[in-house]
Amino acid sequence: KLVLTASTLAALLFVLWLAPGKGSKAARRTSSASLAAGTSYSQAAANWQHHAPGSAEDCWARRDGRYKHCGLRPDPFEPDVDPPRYSTVNLDMPLPEMTEEEIGGLQVLERRVADLSAKDHRTDRATLIRFLRARQGDILAAEAYFRKAVDYRESINLEEFERTWDLEAYDGCFLPWWVRGGILGHGKQGEIVGFERFGQSCLPDLLNLLPWHVLQKLDAAHMNRTLAAFEEDAMRRRYPLGNAILILDLEGLGWKDCSPNVARAYGKLISYRDMLIPNTLKHVFLIRAPGVFSAAWSMAKNFLHPVTRKKVEIVSGDAQSLALLQRHLPNDIIPAYIGGGRSIDGDPECRQLLGAPSGPIPPEAVSRLLELAARDGHGRRGARTRNHSDIDEQRNRTPCCSFMGF
């Protein structure tokens, strides 16, 4: 298993800080392109080689990001089918292989959280073993972390996600842009494969444009769907969670992505994500990394635990990145824009699966999200807005295993 400890996160952020600031010229060139005057949407949609981000209306009409949580299904693009729904009741999911010590620890943990079971919280064994492993078998620490996760879900009313949240706001209008990624399918060994264009995330812009509680709920909605997708797949294949591959495409990474404020905000989001979906990763691949990033990583990785170090791979350049992916993934799920064999209706960027590929977030999308969020009264308990002072509250403990982008 991959243990993303505080030292792991610190090392990755150190490497980010050393990354060059100019980003990818090609990415900037494509992201700044616009439709020629008189070009209709139907013409643009049929002519994918322009790779223009387009307006929010274009992204919504193309359904960019609509199927980002459906990539594990036999038919990810089946029309008029709901995205995966998180179960609020216990599931009979398959369990991973466990040591005798883990089996005993799990039994003790089950007894210690029986009061939460009585209150109808999810306490199935497949969930509890992930929390137990997230704290390296420490039963008391696992119990404390599990209760903290339950409290977090309650604080944002996540158990009522399908019934009371404004799904158009947090699970609809912003799908093309947060996150810019999705679930590709299964690796060669049956692993779940997630993909995120981390270099194009626009997180610095979002921190200036959105109140913190809106971004927090936007991310929680994404992670709730992601966990639902993982569990749906585990139930269908009878395959336990814990072997996922996360791919972060760093093309376009710049200095503004590496500021202390952005690093703290991202660390805070990771801590939230880990409470929602701990202990699911097996590998993290950072591809198309700036050359300086790779050089800095060669130094920073020496501070990591050897087991963790083996699980994180960083490569630069298109050829090396594609070669790494092809060692672990079938070519037919690798997006064509990085040399793989997957296009969706002729689109090498796989927009319906991965969202808008690059460029700034359209102002009309931000306005729409804020308009919808303003009428949504749920999950704002104690929320703060743009100064992000709450980001500093939990810097002393970063997550032990987070499915970072999804």
Side-chain angles (χ1 to χ4, degrees):
K1 63 185 177 183
L2 174 63
V3 181
L4 288 180
T5 60
S7 61
T8 310
L9 181 61
L12 289 173
L13 294 178
F14 171 71
V15 173
L16 285 172
W17 181 76
L18 290 178
K22 62 184 180 180
S24 163
K25 291 182 180 179
R28 302 307 178 201
R29 192 162 53 241
T30 57
S31 66
S32 62
S34 59
L35 296 180
T39 302
S40 69
Y41 166 72
S42 59
Q43 290 171 321
N47 194 11
W48 290 107
Q49 64 264 31
H50 289 302
H51 305 311
S55 68
E57 290 294 339
D58 287 348
C59 293
W60 292 328
R62 283 194 303 259
R63 311 189 85 185
D64 290 1
R66 162 63 178 83
Y67 300 100
K68 66 173 60 180
H69 303 112
C70 302
L72 300 172
R73 290 175 171 174
D75 181 3
F77 308 103
E78 186 176 356
D80 303 320
V81 175
D82 289 337
R85 293 191 173 197
Y86 176 74
S87 174
T88 57
V89 300
N90 287 344
L91 296 176
D92 181 25
M93 287 190 295
L95 292 170
E97 293 185 7
M98 294 183 288
T99 65
E100 290 297 323
E101 184 178 0
E102 284 182 322
I103 293 172
L106 181 58
Q107 292 172 345
V108 174
L109 182 58
E110 284 183 290
R111 291 195 295 270
R112 294 188 66 90
V113 298
D115 60 307
L116 296 177
S117 301
K119 296 177 182 177
D120 296 326
H121 291 290
R122 279 275 301 269
T123 57
D124 52 62
R125 305 188 81 207
T127 298
L128 293 180
I129 187 59
R130 290 192 292 108
F131 278 86
L132 185 63
R133 288 181 170 181
R135 289 297 178 259
Q136 292 79 52
D138 186 325
I139 298 170
L140 295 181
E143 179 190 356
Y145 194 43
F146 183 72
R147 291 183 183 278
K148 182 179 179 181
V150 169
D151 288 344
Y152 175 63
R153 294 186 69 92
E154 288 186 331
S155 75
I156 58 173
N157 202 29
L158 197 54
E159 301 304 289
E160 297 293 321
F161 175 71
E162 300 287 352
R163 293 183 289 275
T164 65
W165 281 42
D166 189 328
L167 296 184
E168 185 183 352
Y170 298 109
D171 191 45
C173 74
F174 229 65
L175 283 176
W177 304 282
W178 191 264
V179 297
R180 284 177 163 170
I183 302 173
L184 293 179
H186 297 104
K188 291 182 176 180
Q189 304 300 320
E191 310 98 330
I192 291 172
V193 181
F195 189 98
E196 182 181 353
R197 291 183 171 103
F198 185 78
Q200 303 289 345
S201 68
C202 293
L203 180 57
D205 298 329
L206 290 175
L207 291 173
N208 290 324
L209 293 169
L210 301 179
W212 176 253
H213 75 272
V214 173
L215 181 59
Q216 177 188 1
K217 291 188 68 176
L218 197 66
D219 199 63
H222 167 61
M223 295 307 296
N224 205 50
R225 289 285 187 217
T226 298
L227 179 55
F230 283 18
E231 293 184 341
E232 180 184 271
D233 182 69
M235 294 289 285
R236 181 175 55 250
R237 293 195 298 152
R238 303 307 300 170
Y239 197 93
L241 299 184
N243 72 334
I245 296 173
L246 173 61
I247 302 163
L248 299 178
D249 182 357
L250 302 185
E251 178 81 0
L253 199 70
W255 277 117
K256 69 177 183 178
D257 301 295
C258 312
S259 72
N261 286 340
V262 173
R264 284 196 298 269
Y266 190 61
K268 185 70 171 179
L269 287 178
I270 289 177
S271 72
Y272 292 149
R273 291 169 177 176
D274 191 65
M275 284 189 285
L276 297 178
I277 183 170
N279 208 264
T280 56
L281 278 177
K282 180 181 179 182
H283 294 290
V284 178
F285 299 148
L286 292 87
I287 65 170
R288 303 207 299 169
V292 174
F293 190 109
S294 297
W297 172 251
S298 67
M299 296 183 292
K301 68 181 182 181
N302 294 323
F303 296 97
L304 302 181
H305 190 282
V307 174
T308 301
R309 188 164 61 234
K310 289 176 62 177
K311 303 300 183 181
V312 179
E313 294 191 51
I314 300 180
V315 293
S316 298
D318 293 347
Q320 285 184 299
S321 298
L322 180 60
L324 172 63
L325 298 187
Q326 288 178 332
R327 286 202 300 271
H328 297 272
L329 278 58
N331 193 60
D332 60 2
I333 74 166
I334 301 174
Y337 86 91
I338 51 175
R342 186 173 209 164
S343 295
I344 299 173
D345 294 334
D347 174 21
E349 303 280 0
C350 302
R351 287 170 172 84
Q352 290 189 354
L353 198 63
L354 302 179
S358 61
I361 298 171
E364 60 267 34
V366 176
S367 297
R368 180 59 177 158
L369 173 60
L370 292 176
E371 174 189 348
L372 293 169
R375 75 185 190 191
D376 175 49
H378 300 289
R380 294 191 178 189
R381 208 174 306 171
R384 301 188 183 104
T385 54
R386 298 186 185 183
N387 60 10
H388 311 301
S389 57
D390 59 337
I391 293 171
D392 295 322
E393 291 174 2
Q394 297 179 8
R395 283 190 290 174
N396 292 332
R397 178 136 194 169
T398 50
C400 65
C401 187
S402 163
F403 201 73
M404 297 164 65
F406 41 97

